[in-house]
Amino acid sequence: MSQTIVPDAAVPVAPAKLPSTIRTGLSRAALETRMFFRERDAVIFTFSFPIILLVIFGSIFADDLEGTGLNVSQLYVAGLIGSAAMTGFQNLGIGIAMDRDDGTLKRLAGTPMPPAAYFVGKAFNTLLISFVQVVILLAIGVALFELELPSEVSTWLTFAWVFVLGVLGSSLLGIAVSSLPRSGKSASAVIAMPFVVLQFISGVFIPISQLPEWLVQIASFFPLKWMCQGFRSVFLGDAGATLELAKSYELDRVALILGAWVIGGLVLCLTTFRWKSRRDG
């Protein structure tokens, strides 16, 4: 006689262990990167826009800076590198507002994915895109505008911490301001204009020494001015320090303010970020 074996229903089944937040965040970063490079028009615009600006401004304003051995074109290279490092402010601010408006954030909030993994993915994706932009701008600066790359390891370490702190601070600020637009359609108008204004008053397109004092004071509250100052210290060297208002790059102050923006941006994100659009309550 055959014997029927009945499984023991009382034996508990261990739940599947979810991946860590960092692992999930890295997977999300890979997904964000693939999604970005699939949008060919966005890729072309993102990487070509700073190149076009550098070639145009660098070619038109190529005068020598008296007593420094530098020229205005090299000044533009350093400034546009700062601008490229802050593109996360605009890209994340607009992109997240659109994700919120079309319900993407709402759907993600209902999945087992830790909320922090979404932001880890965005941060790594932003770091990668900004780094590629910077590499391209440096290549053009060396090839067309006689920019000399630093040879000291300590100078490249300065570049690394200015880049990382600047990208993280501006990205966190972009995440925070993504809650300001009333809809995804209005995000570009609400977020792009402040970014353009910041570039003009932070030493990207106009040398900081030629700006009115009150504009410099306004720019000093935001990270872009200090990012550009840090990058000028890396790529213009001691000769470029005479062009600064303080006749010094003030790298200790640059580190302090960029670090404060990372902390402050994190606080803003935690207190203002919304997973749902206004119409969803």
Side-chain angles (χ1 to χ4, degrees):
M1 181 182 294
S2 61
Q3 184 179 3
T4 302
I5 300 176
V6 180
D8 189 356
V11 178
V13 178
K17 186 178 180 181
L18 295 175
S20 66
T21 299
I22 294 297
R23 183 178 175 183
T24 307
L26 292 176
S27 298
R28 183 71 197 181
L31 175 62
E32 293 277 354
T33 303
R34 288 197 299 271
M35 290 170 60
F36 170 77
F37 281 103
R38 284 173 183 167
E39 297 290 339
R40 294 186 179 180
D41 51 348
V43 173
I44 293 172
F45 178 81
T46 298
F47 291 119
S48 65
F49 186 64
I51 294 173
I52 293 171
L53 289 179
L54 176 57
V55 172
I56 291 176
F57 279 92
S59 300
I60 295 174
F61 305 102
D63 297 337
D64 293 333
L65 295 167
E66 186 176 354
T68 64
L70 304 170
N71 57 55
V72 180
S73 301
Q74 294 165 345
L75 199 63
Y76 279 125
V77 176
L80 282 166
I81 286 174
S83 179
M86 196 177 173
T87 52
F89 166 77
Q90 178 174 259
N91 294 345
L92 290 181
I94 296 173
I96 293 175
M98 296 178 68
D99 283 349
R100 182 184 294 109
D101 195 51
D102 65 15
T104 299
L105 289 186
K106 185 178 178 180
R107 292 191 294 271
L108 288 176
T111 67
M113 183 186 74
Y118 173 77
F119 300 108
V120 171
K122 289 289 188 183
F124 275 100
N125 176 252
T126 302
L127 279 169
L128 174 63
I129 294 172
S130 297
F131 182 75
V132 173
Q133 285 182 303
V134 168
V135 170
I136 294 173
L137 291 173
L138 282 178
I140 293 174
V142 171
L144 299 182
F145 304 119
E146 301 178 350
L147 183 73
E148 294 185 6
L149 298 181
S151 56
E152 299 83 4
V153 174
S154 60
T155 307
W156 283 113
L157 289 176
T158 299
F159 167 81
W161 65 255
V162 172
F163 178 77
V164 172
L165 288 179
V167 171
L168 289 179
S170 56
S171 297
L172 288 167
L173 184 58
I175 294 172
V177 300
S178 70
S179 298
L180 291 179
R182 298 187 64 84
S183 69
K185 293 180 179 179
S186 64
S188 295
V190 173
I191 295 173
M193 186 183 70
F195 183 50
V196 172
V197 173
L198 274 178
Q199 291 178 84
F200 275 97
I201 69 174
S202 300
V204 175
F205 300 124
I206 302 173
I208 198 75
S209 59
Q210 297 181 15
L211 293 169
E213 183 179 353
W214 64 275
L215 280 180
V216 176
Q217 290 177 351
I218 293 174
S220 298
F221 283 103
F222 298 96
L224 183 55
K225 186 259 186 189
W226 303 101
M227 293 160 65
C228 293
Q229 191 164 310
F231 288 129
R232 287 196 295 270
S233 77
V234 173
F235 299 111
L236 302 186
D238 295 337
T242 58
L243 304 173
E244 303 295 326
L245 294 176
K247 305 305 178 185
S248 167
Y249 292 117
E250 303 176 288
L251 289 180
D252 53 347
R253 196 174 180 186
V254 171
L256 178 64
I257 293 176
L258 292 183
W261 267 107
V262 172
I263 297 172
L266 181 59
V267 172
L268 281 173
C269 290
L270 293 174
T271 55
T272 65
F273 188 80
R274 294 181 292 106
W275 290 92
K276 298 180 181 180
S277 63
R278 286 184 171 90
R279 65 171 177 268
D280 293 327

